[in-house]
Structures are given as C-alpha cells and as structure tokens.
Short mmCIF file of all heavy atoms in Angstrom, two decimals:
data_model
loop_
_atom_site.label_atom_id
_atom_site.label_comp_id
_atom_site.label_asym_id
_atom_site.label_seq_id
_atom_site.Cartn_x
_atom_site.Cartn_y
_atom_site.Cartn_z
N PHE Z 1 64.86 35.14 -30.49
CA PHE Z 1 63.76 35.59 -31.32
C PHE Z 1 63.95 35.00 -32.71
O PHE Z 1 64.93 35.30 -33.38
CB PHE Z 1 63.71 37.11 -31.40
CG PHE Z 1 63.38 37.75 -30.08
CD1 PHE Z 1 64.38 38.06 -29.18
CD2 PHE Z 1 62.06 38.00 -29.73
CE1 PHE Z 1 64.08 38.62 -27.95
CE2 PHE Z 1 61.75 38.57 -28.50
CZ PHE Z 1 62.75 38.88 -27.63
N VAL Z 2 63.05 34.14 -33.10
CA VAL Z 2 63.15 33.48 -34.40
C VAL Z 2 61.88 33.79 -35.16
O VAL Z 2 60.79 33.53 -34.67
CB VAL Z 2 63.32 31.95 -34.24
CG1 VAL Z 2 63.40 31.30 -35.62
CG2 VAL Z 2 64.56 31.64 -33.44
N PHE Z 3 62.01 34.33 -36.36
CA PHE Z 3 60.85 34.69 -37.15
C PHE Z 3 60.59 33.62 -38.18
O PHE Z 3 61.43 33.33 -39.02
CB PHE Z 3 61.06 36.05 -37.80
CG PHE Z 3 61.18 37.15 -36.80
CD1 PHE Z 3 62.43 37.54 -36.35
CD2 PHE Z 3 60.06 37.76 -36.26
CE1 PHE Z 3 62.55 38.54 -35.40
CE2 PHE Z 3 60.17 38.75 -35.32
CZ PHE Z 3 61.42 39.14 -34.89
N VAL Z 4 59.44 32.99 -38.10
CA VAL Z 4 59.08 31.88 -38.95
C VAL Z 4 58.01 32.33 -39.91
O VAL Z 4 56.97 32.83 -39.49
CB VAL Z 4 58.55 30.68 -38.11
CG1 VAL Z 4 58.19 29.54 -39.02
CG2 VAL Z 4 59.61 30.27 -37.11
N ILE Z 5 58.23 32.15 -41.21
CA ILE Z 5 57.24 32.51 -42.21
C ILE Z 5 56.37 31.30 -42.49
O ILE Z 5 56.85 30.26 -42.91
CB ILE Z 5 57.91 33.00 -43.50
CG1 ILE Z 5 58.74 34.25 -43.24
CG2 ILE Z 5 56.87 33.28 -44.57
CD1 ILE Z 5 59.50 34.73 -44.45
N VAL Z 6 55.10 31.41 -42.27
CA VAL Z 6 54.15 30.34 -42.54
C VAL Z 6 53.48 30.68 -43.86
O VAL Z 6 52.88 31.74 -44.01
CB VAL Z 6 53.10 30.24 -41.41
CG1 VAL Z 6 52.15 29.10 -41.68
CG2 VAL Z 6 53.80 30.05 -40.09
N PHE Z 7 53.55 29.79 -44.85
CA PHE Z 7 53.13 30.11 -46.20
C PHE Z 7 51.63 30.20 -46.37
O PHE Z 7 51.14 30.49 -47.45
CB PHE Z 7 53.74 29.10 -47.18
CG PHE Z 7 55.22 29.23 -47.29
CD1 PHE Z 7 56.05 28.35 -46.65
CD2 PHE Z 7 55.78 30.29 -47.99
CE1 PHE Z 7 57.41 28.49 -46.73
CE2 PHE Z 7 57.15 30.43 -48.07
CZ PHE Z 7 57.98 29.53 -47.44
N SER Z 8 50.87 29.97 -45.33
CA SER Z 8 49.44 30.22 -45.39
C SER Z 8 49.15 31.71 -45.33
O SER Z 8 48.00 32.12 -45.43
CB SER Z 8 48.74 29.51 -44.22
OG SER Z 8 49.23 30.02 -43.00
N GLY Z 9 50.19 32.51 -45.16
CA GLY Z 9 50.00 33.96 -45.12
C GLY Z 9 50.23 34.56 -43.76
O GLY Z 9 50.18 35.77 -43.58
N ILE Z 10 50.51 33.70 -42.74
CA ILE Z 10 50.75 34.20 -41.38
C ILE Z 10 52.25 34.33 -41.19
O ILE Z 10 53.01 33.45 -41.55
CB ILE Z 10 50.20 33.22 -40.33
CG1 ILE Z 10 48.68 33.23 -40.40
CG2 ILE Z 10 50.67 33.60 -38.94
CD1 ILE Z 10 48.07 32.26 -39.44
N ILE Z 11 52.66 35.47 -40.63
CA ILE Z 11 54.06 35.63 -40.24
C ILE Z 11 54.06 35.73 -38.73
O ILE Z 11 53.54 36.66 -38.16
CB ILE Z 11 54.69 36.90 -40.87
CG1 ILE Z 11 54.64 36.81 -42.39
CG2 ILE Z 11 56.11 37.07 -40.38
CD1 ILE Z 11 55.19 38.04 -43.08
N ALA Z 12 54.63 34.71 -38.10
CA ALA Z 12 54.59 34.65 -36.64
C ALA Z 12 55.99 34.78 -36.08
O ALA Z 12 56.91 34.12 -36.53
CB ALA Z 12 53.98 33.32 -36.19
N GLY Z 13 56.14 35.63 -35.08
CA GLY Z 13 57.43 35.74 -34.37
C GLY Z 13 57.40 34.82 -33.17
O GLY Z 13 56.58 34.98 -32.29
N LEU Z 14 58.30 33.86 -33.16
CA LEU Z 14 58.35 32.91 -32.07
C LEU Z 14 59.50 33.27 -31.14
O LEU Z 14 60.62 33.51 -31.58
CB LEU Z 14 58.59 31.48 -32.60
CG LEU Z 14 57.49 30.88 -33.47
CD1 LEU Z 14 57.88 29.46 -33.83
CD2 LEU Z 14 56.18 30.91 -32.75
N VAL Z 15 59.23 33.28 -29.85
CA VAL Z 15 60.28 33.49 -28.87
C VAL Z 15 60.65 32.13 -28.30
O VAL Z 15 59.84 31.46 -27.70
CB VAL Z 15 59.80 34.40 -27.73
CG1 VAL Z 15 60.93 34.62 -26.73
CG2 VAL Z 15 59.32 35.73 -28.28
N PHE Z 16 61.88 31.72 -28.54
CA PHE Z 16 62.32 30.43 -28.04
C PHE Z 16 63.05 30.62 -26.73
O PHE Z 16 64.14 31.20 -26.69
CB PHE Z 16 63.26 29.75 -29.04
CG PHE Z 16 62.57 29.38 -30.30
CD1 PHE Z 16 62.79 30.11 -31.46
CD2 PHE Z 16 61.69 28.32 -30.32
CE1 PHE Z 16 62.14 29.77 -32.62
CE2 PHE Z 16 61.05 27.99 -31.48
CZ PHE Z 16 61.27 28.72 -32.64
N ILE Z 17 62.45 30.17 -25.65
CA ILE Z 17 63.09 30.24 -24.34
C ILE Z 17 63.76 28.90 -24.13
O ILE Z 17 63.08 27.88 -24.00
CB ILE Z 17 62.07 30.51 -23.24
CG1 ILE Z 17 61.30 31.80 -23.56
CG2 ILE Z 17 62.76 30.62 -21.90
CD1 ILE Z 17 60.20 32.08 -22.59
N SER Z 18 65.07 28.88 -24.13
CA SER Z 18 65.74 27.60 -24.14
C SER Z 18 66.18 27.18 -22.76
O SER Z 18 65.42 26.55 -22.04
CB SER Z 18 66.93 27.61 -25.10
OG SER Z 18 67.78 28.70 -24.84
N SER Z 19 67.35 27.56 -22.33
CA SER Z 19 67.86 26.98 -21.10
C SER Z 19 68.49 28.03 -20.21
O SER Z 19 68.79 29.13 -20.63
CB SER Z 19 68.92 25.93 -21.44
OG SER Z 19 70.06 26.56 -21.95
N LYS Z 20 68.72 27.66 -18.96
CA LYS Z 20 69.59 28.47 -18.13
C LYS Z 20 70.99 28.38 -18.71
O LYS Z 20 71.41 27.35 -19.23
CB LYS Z 20 69.60 27.95 -16.69
CG LYS Z 20 68.34 28.25 -15.93
CD LYS Z 20 68.50 28.00 -14.45
CE LYS Z 20 68.84 26.57 -14.15
NZ LYS Z 20 68.95 26.35 -12.70
N GLU Z 21 71.76 29.46 -18.58
CA GLU Z 21 73.07 29.50 -19.19
C GLU Z 21 74.00 28.44 -18.59
O GLU Z 21 74.96 28.03 -19.23
CB GLU Z 21 73.68 30.89 -19.03
CG GLU Z 21 72.93 31.94 -19.86
CD GLU Z 21 73.53 33.32 -19.70
OE1 GLU Z 21 74.50 33.45 -18.92
OE2 GLU Z 21 73.03 34.25 -20.34
N ASP Z 22 73.75 28.00 -17.37
CA ASP Z 22 74.65 27.06 -16.73
C ASP Z 22 74.18 25.61 -16.85
O ASP Z 22 74.71 24.73 -16.20
CB ASP Z 22 74.86 27.43 -15.26
CG ASP Z 22 73.56 27.44 -14.46
OD1 ASP Z 22 72.49 27.40 -15.09
OD2 ASP Z 22 73.63 27.51 -13.22
N ILE Z 23 73.16 25.35 -17.67
CA ILE Z 23 72.72 23.97 -17.87
C ILE Z 23 73.66 23.29 -18.85
O ILE Z 23 73.78 23.72 -19.99
CB ILE Z 23 71.28 23.90 -18.41
CG1 ILE Z 23 70.29 24.40 -17.36
CG2 ILE Z 23 70.92 22.48 -18.82
CD1 ILE Z 23 68.87 24.43 -17.82
N PRO Z 24 74.34 22.23 -18.44
CA PRO Z 24 75.25 21.54 -19.37
C PRO Z 24 74.45 20.78 -20.41
O PRO Z 24 73.42 20.18 -20.13
CB PRO Z 24 76.02 20.58 -18.46
CG PRO Z 24 75.10 20.33 -17.31
CD PRO Z 24 74.34 21.61 -17.11
N ALA Z 25 74.91 20.84 -21.65
CA ALA Z 25 74.27 20.10 -22.73
C ALA Z 25 75.35 19.38 -23.52
O ALA Z 25 76.43 19.92 -23.74
CB ALA Z 25 73.46 21.03 -23.63
N GLN Z 26 75.06 18.17 -23.94
CA GLN Z 26 76.02 17.37 -24.67
C GLN Z 26 75.49 17.10 -26.07
O GLN Z 26 74.30 16.85 -26.27
CB GLN Z 26 76.27 16.04 -23.96
CG GLN Z 26 76.91 16.21 -22.58
CD GLN Z 26 77.16 14.87 -21.90
OE1 GLN Z 26 76.65 13.84 -22.33
NE2 GLN Z 26 77.95 14.89 -20.85
N ALA Z 27 76.40 17.14 -27.05
CA ALA Z 27 76.02 16.85 -28.43
C ALA Z 27 75.64 15.37 -28.56
O ALA Z 27 76.25 14.49 -27.95
CB ALA Z 27 77.18 17.17 -29.37
N LEU Z 28 74.60 15.12 -29.34
CA LEU Z 28 74.15 13.76 -29.58
C LEU Z 28 75.00 13.10 -30.66
O LEU Z 28 75.35 13.74 -31.66
CB LEU Z 28 72.69 13.74 -30.03
CG LEU Z 28 71.65 14.21 -29.02
CD1 LEU Z 28 70.26 14.18 -29.66
CD2 LEU Z 28 71.67 13.35 -27.76
#
C-alpha cells in the first residue's frame, strides 16, 4: 500500500501488486 500525493489536490492510495514470493529477481 503506497500513498501518493498528487499536487493537483488528489490524494490517491495505490495498491501495488508485485510478485509471487517465489519469483526470483536479480538486481540490474
């Protein structure tokens, strides 16, 4: 749950659905 403040006056709560816990990811 990431809360992003938009300076136009909107406060939107964004839900970031990322990955399955077992998905391997490598740093770039």
